[in-house]
Amino acid sequence: MAYTQINPATGKKFRLIGAPVVKKDAKALVTGKPVYTDDLALKDCLIVKVLRSPHAHALIEEIDCKVASRVPGIECILTWKDVPQKRFTMAGQTYPEPSPYDRLILDQRVRFVGDAVAIIAGETEAAVDHAMRLIKVKYQVLEPVLDMHDSKDGKILVHPEDSWKALCNVGADNKRNLCASGGETHGDLEAAFAGCSHIVEKTYHTKANQQAMMETFRAFTYMDVYGRLNVVDSTQVTFHVRRILAHALDVPKSKIRVIKPRIGGGFGAKQTVVAEVYPAIVTMKTGKPAKIIYSRYESQIASSPRHEMEVKVKIGCDDNGILQAMDVYTLSNTGAFGEHGPTTVGLSGHKSIPMYGTPKAFRFAYDVVYTNRMSAGAYRGYGATQGIFAVESAMDELAAQMGMNPIELRKKNMVRQGQVMPAYYGETANSCALDRCVDKVMEMIGWDEKYPRKDMGNGKVRAVGLAMAMQGSAISGVDVGSVTIKVNDDGFYSMTIGAADMGTGCDTTLAQVAAECLDCPVERIEVLGADTDASPYDSGSYASSTTYITGKAVEKACQKLIARILEIASGMLEAPVEELVFASDHVEWPKEQKSVSLEDIGTKSMCGNGCALEVTESNTSPTSPPPFMAGAVEIELDKETGHVEILDYKAVVDCGTVVNPNLARVQTEGGLVQGIGMTLYENIQYNDKGTMLNNSFMQYKIPSRRDMGNIQVEFESSFEPTGPFGAKSIGEIVINTPAPAL
């Protein structure tokens, strides 16, 4: 289904923006072409695996690798004595990273069950597995801190080392087990609560959960003929990988090239450089190609799941239901290392409190603490998911206390277009269709007929729930998107990007933006990337940034390229540039009724030409316009067993202008399924020694399509003036409504 929309700049209908264009890589993927990292790895690669700690907290006293090293086919075994001792972070964030430098490639101190102890590389998997069993490690077992409530200023330090450091002032202090700490207050909170006639104060707890992408963590590495380390990597952050590896390996960035093939899912997990350093150090040490393929077991116990958070919410309103004050405190468990710890926690308040535009005062405070559990990282929603669950649940409880329909309470208080959002860095909601999203989803779910519940008379009850959500579009003032576009001698275009298509279809949507600008079919746009040697710099595909940030870079590049095309056509037609008109596959000189084809212009650029038909443009934004969403669910609850069956889930999204409705719809459906899984099925659990119990899909349950009931997604578009053709983001917001709605 196409969404016919008008381009405000021309007053005409868009040709390709809003069209359900098929993904450029669709045929290759469904026919099983070799496109993923392991498909492309050299057949004689060394196989790399990691020996992992059985203890949550320990010091390695001795490692005996003598017998293991004599196993036929073993190339090398590396311990903490054999690798650089420079601390770094695996967080794929723009430099300087807010996440502390608290890791080593291999450390004498292990900090969670699954932490890396040794790296084994060999010619076959069987040889590596055999050698791993022969390595003897003597540990001094230490007492761990497993509960995040015991961490801050506790007696056990997760990072007692003096080499720990924080590059940014995020309130981190390793001697207090703090990865980050801070907050802000707006208005007179005490006075605002004093004026409330109804107050709810509750604590909400969200567990960690895994991204569970189909393609596990993996990378393969080799040295090229110039003595440079090449990394073929399943990653969302190609350029960040280069910087992180250069720092960890203690080599210049110029000596590393990172190439991203197709990615079999990421959801934020691959914004953390979980596995790449292990084959990289093996190749650096041996000169031989190497690869690592995480098993599902490793991806469960030693990866980068969502941060466990406890969110305390206090909200109050007057007799009319108008919110007066909001107070949110978040305690976040970053685990053994601080990847994304200081940044995820901010979204728990900055993406939940601003959904409501009426409070006179708010406070948001947080602590992010180290524990001896697997370190957390980025996961779709990135802290907003946890905060929105808490705030929206508190709103429902406030409505119940007042005897008010929870939708009525939301309508009285929700942010609306044109309002300033103090809790969202003072930004203005220049594009906001949240009110229309709520109205539409109420109609779709049949709220008025079904609320609050219906007793089925058989021990089961049917009920409905609704939640709102917001997110952002890139990190304001930080993220950078860039593209290079050139005209080839046959008149088609090549567009090189640094953004990482991880199944989201950004290769296709960015091509749609280019084709709209250049007035040509999408098939005339060939998309290449991402490759740190060939692509222009791009922060990467995270923070819901690609369509908004990189899409605008495409728009800017196309405008500059058209000017270059007109410049060459001017010489060919002997016409003033200002009298020429770019018209899809040719340039016209209306005054003299002459024209020259784009094919001829491309060919001309190859001979006697001083004007390159190639441009590179970058884009960043001082603002991060939020997309908005409303989601509503109908469930059937068995009162005797507690079993919940989802009958219906309706969602309406405001992502600005919808660039590709098919891709936007499957993005939304996928996010809803993940949110439902987080709420009803997924639950990372540890025993009292810090060992994870859910180390496979037999124990860690993710929902299948059969668990979802009926899902229906619609769009209620606004127009974002700073986005490409009015577009905002959609990637993350879609996971945020299931938990509070359910």
Side-chain angles (χ1 to χ4, degrees):
M1 176 183 177
Y3 279 73
T4 303
Q5 297 175 88
I6 303 297
N7 184 348
T10 64
K12 298 178 181 178
K13 292 179 181 178
F14 288 121
R15 293 181 313 104
L16 289 163
I17 301 299
V21 174
V22 176
K23 285 180 66 179
K24 281 186 166 286
D25 58 359
K27 188 173 181 180
L29 297 180
V30 300
T31 55
K33 299 296 182 186
V35 297
Y36 296 104
T37 298
D38 196 29
D39 299 332
L40 305 175
L42 300 173
K43 299 308 176 189
D44 60 347
C45 272
L46 293 174
I47 305 300
V48 178
K49 292 197 175 187
V50 177
L51 176 66
R52 300 187 179 279
S53 169
H55 305 295
H57 197 194
L59 289 174
I60 300 170
E61 294 185 338
E62 296 176 18
I63 302 182
D64 184 353
C65 303
K66 295 186 189 71
V67 176
S69 296
R70 291 197 290 268
V71 171
I74 291 300
E75 183 71 25
C76 69
I77 298 175
L78 305 176
T79 71
W80 65 275
K81 297 177 182 179
D82 306 310
V83 299
Q85 295 294 294
K86 280 187 71 176
R87 295 209 174 265
F88 66 100
T89 176
M90 287 184 176
Q93 297 175 300
T94 298
Y95 184 85
E97 303 98 326
S99 300
Y101 279 18
D102 54 15
R103 275 191 186 266
L104 296 174
I105 298 173
L106 295 171
D107 202 333
Q108 189 176 9
R109 181 184 294 266
V110 289
R111 295 174 173 82
F112 70 98
V113 176
D115 204 355
V117 172
I119 303 166
I120 305 100
E123 295 172 0
T124 66
E125 187 172 6
V128 172
D129 287 342
H130 183 43
M132 188 182 295
R133 290 192 292 270
L134 297 175
I135 298 173
K136 296 179 180 179
V137 186
K138 181 180 178 183
Y139 296 96
Q140 178 190 342
V141 179
L142 305 172
E143 185 180 354
V145 54
L146 299 175
D147 189 326
M148 63 181 177
H149 299 92
D150 300 331
S151 179
K152 182 179 176 181
D153 296 324
K155 62 177 182 176
I156 303 164
L157 287 182
V158 179
H159 285 277
E161 64 275 5
D162 293 332
S163 57
W164 178 100
K165 66 177 180 179
L167 275 65
C168 299
N169 182 17
V170 293
D173 185 345
N174 61 315
K175 299 303 170 68
R176 300 181 62 200
N177 278 338
L178 283 176
C179 174
S181 183
E184 66 176 278
T185 302
H186 175 83
D188 189 335
L189 193 70
E190 190 175 327
F193 273 119
C196 295
S197 51
H198 299 275
I199 293 175
V200 161
E201 189 169 5
K202 297 282 184 177
T203 300
Y204 304 89
H205 187 190
T206 62
K207 291 289 197 74
N209 45 82
Q210 288 284 8
Q211 295 89 345
M213 61 280 170
M214 286 190 289
E215 183 195 35
T216 60
F217 300 95
R218 56 197 58 201
F220 103 85
T221 55
Y222 62 94
M223 303 300 291
D224 65 21
V225 294
Y226 303 106
R228 301 173 74 220
L229 177 70
N230 283 235
V231 183
V232 180
D233 187 17
S234 182
T235 181
Q236 300 172 222
V237 287
T238 315
F239 285 89
H240 293 334
V241 171
R242 181 177 66 182
R243 183 187 68 250
I244 292 166
L245 290 181
H247 184 79
L249 299 169
D250 201 16
V251 299
K253 286 196 278 287
S254 61
K255 293 297 184 182
I256 298 177
R257 176 189 184 188
V258 182
I259 305 161
K260 177 210 73 73
R262 295 289 92 186
I263 303 178
F267 311 117
K270 293 171 184 174
Q271 192 192 339
T272 304
V273 184
V274 170
E276 292 85 337
V277 71
Y278 303 121
I281 188 68
V282 167
T283 294
M284 293 287 288
K285 291 281 187 179
T286 67
K288 295 183 178 182
K291 74 173 181 180
I292 191 166
I293 306 291
Y294 268 40
S295 64
R296 182 60 61 183
Y297 169 77
E298 286 180 293
S299 294
Q300 285 294 112
I301 69 153
S303 53
S304 56
R306 186 184 299 282
H307 287 75
E308 175 191 20
M309 291 188 186
E310 183 180 86
V311 185
K312 296 181 179 179
V313 181
K314 181 180 180 182
I315 55 175
C317 66
D318 63 19
D319 282 328
N320 295 317
I322 305 301
L323 294 178
Q324 302 296 303
M326 301 183 74
D327 190 4
V328 174
Y329 168 74
T330 302
L331 176 64
S332 177
N333 184 358
T334 196
F337 301 99
E339 279 89 24
H340 303 278
T343 41
T344 49
V345 72
L347 274 65
S348 68
H350 292 307
K351 301 289 170 72
S352 59
I353 300 171
M355 290 192 299
Y356 296 98
T358 51
K360 298 173 181 175
F362 74 85
R363 178 171 58 192
F364 171 47
Y366 55 84
D367 289 308
V368 184
V369 295
Y370 286 113
T371 61
N372 291 112
R373 292 191 176 183
M374 169 176 48
S375 57
Y379 185 0
R380 191 180 206 168
Y382 203 80
T385 311
Q386 297 95 309
I388 288 171
F389 164 66
V391 168
E392 285 294 86
S393 296
M395 285 293 289
D396 280 341
E397 298 202 49
L398 183 63
Q401 184 188 114
M402 298 181 67
M404 181 183 288
N405 187 312
I407 309 305
E408 182 183 349
L409 184 63
R410 285 173 170 82
K411 286 185 174 183
K412 286 173 177 282
N413 294 285
M414 70 173 68
V415 66
R416 296 176 186 268
Q417 187 157 306
Q419 280 188 301
V420 175
M421 299 174 285
Y424 191 62
Y425 319 108
E427 287 192 25
T428 300
N430 290 317
S431 56
C432 176
L434 180 58
D435 52 346
R436 288 184 276 128
C437 290
V438 170
D439 288 341
K440 191 167 187 174
V441 87
M442 284 180 65
E443 180 184 340
M444 289 166 64
I445 202 74
W447 182 272
D448 291 337
E449 300 82 49
K450 297 174 180 176
Y451 176 79
R453 69 192 63 81
K454 181 180 179 182
D455 195 312
M456 305 304 292
N458 58 355
K460 297 181 179 180
V461 172
R462 291 189 176 184
V464 286
L466 184 148
M468 307 188 313
M470 65 176 280
Q471 195 75 34
S473 300
I475 305 171
S476 58
V478 173
D479 286 342
V480 174
S482 304
V483 298
T484 297
I485 305 180
K486 69 175 180 178
V487 181
N488 298 288
D489 51 302
D490 202 24
F492 71 94
Y493 302 93
S494 296
M495 182 167 71
T496 307
I497 65 174
D501 190 331
M502 51 180 161
T504 52
C506 76
D507 287 1
T508 305
T509 53
L510 294 176
Q512 284 181 253
V513 173
E516 187 73 46
C517 294
L518 296 168
D519 196 23
C520 71
V522 173
E523 293 73 25
R524 292 255 304 277
I525 311 287
E526 298 298 329
V527 183
L528 312 167
D531 178 335
T532 55
D533 273 11
S535 302
Y537 178 81
D538 194 293
S539 305
S541 295
Y542 61 92
S544 302
S545 63
T546 306
T547 296
Y548 178 71
I549 290 290
T550 309
K552 197 66 177 180
V554 171
E555 210 179 339
K556 291 163 69 174
C558 289
Q559 291 164 0
K560 185 180 272 188
L561 185 61
I562 289 171
R564 293 277 180 91
I565 293 169
L566 293 176
E567 186 177 338
I568 293 181
S570 171
M572 296 175 72
L573 293 171
E574 298 180 337
V577 171
E578 61 271 15
E579 293 183 10
L580 298 180
V581 177
F582 176 78
S584 185
D585 59 353
H586 65 284
V587 171
E588 295 177 354
W589 187 12
K591 183 178 178 180
E592 298 294 329
Q593 295 186 327
K594 291 182 179 180
S595 67
V596 60
S597 71
L598 187 62
E599 183 177 345
D600 287 342
I601 293 170
T603 302
K604 170 60 181 171
S605 70
M606 300 173 65
C607 182
N609 172 56
C611 175
L613 277 182
E614 177 173 318
V615 299
T616 298
E617 277 293 320
S618 292
N619 182 57
T620 188
S621 175
T623 60
S624 175
F628 296 94
M629 178 182 180
V633 65
E634 181 181 8
I635 66 161
E636 185 170 84
L637 170 72
D638 187 316
K639 292 192 289 185
E640 184 174 348
T641 66
H643 175 72
V644 173
E645 183 177 347
I646 295 175
L647 305 177
D648 219 353
Y649 204 105
K650 310 293 188 185
V652 182
V653 185
D654 163 24
C655 57
T657 300
V658 182
V659 176
N660 187 315
N662 279 5
L663 296 182
R665 180 169 284 106
V666 296
Q667 279 263 42
T668 307
E669 291 172 352
L672 293 174
V673 170
Q674 285 181 312
I676 290 167
M678 171 186 173
T679 312
L680 295 181
Y681 301 94
E682 301 175 48
N683 183 19
I684 288 181
Q685 296 167 292
Y686 294 86
N687 67 14
D688 59 2
K689 300 293 185 183
T691 300
M692 186 192 292
L693 302 175
N694 321 84
N695 57 25
S696 80
F697 285 159
M698 293 296 289
Q699 294 87 19
Y700 186 80
K701 301 296 185 181
I702 59 174
S704 74
R705 185 63 187 86
R706 290 186 172 186
D707 299 311
M708 292 301 99
N710 179 53
I711 294 178
Q712 184 183 355
V713 175
E714 296 295 341
F715 302 98
E716 194 64 46
S717 295
S718 60
F719 187 91
E720 174 48 49
T722 63
F725 298 114
K728 298 186 286 189
S729 75
I730 195 170
E732 292 181 275
I733 186 173
V734 293
I735 200 172
N736 291 338
T737 60
L742 282 163

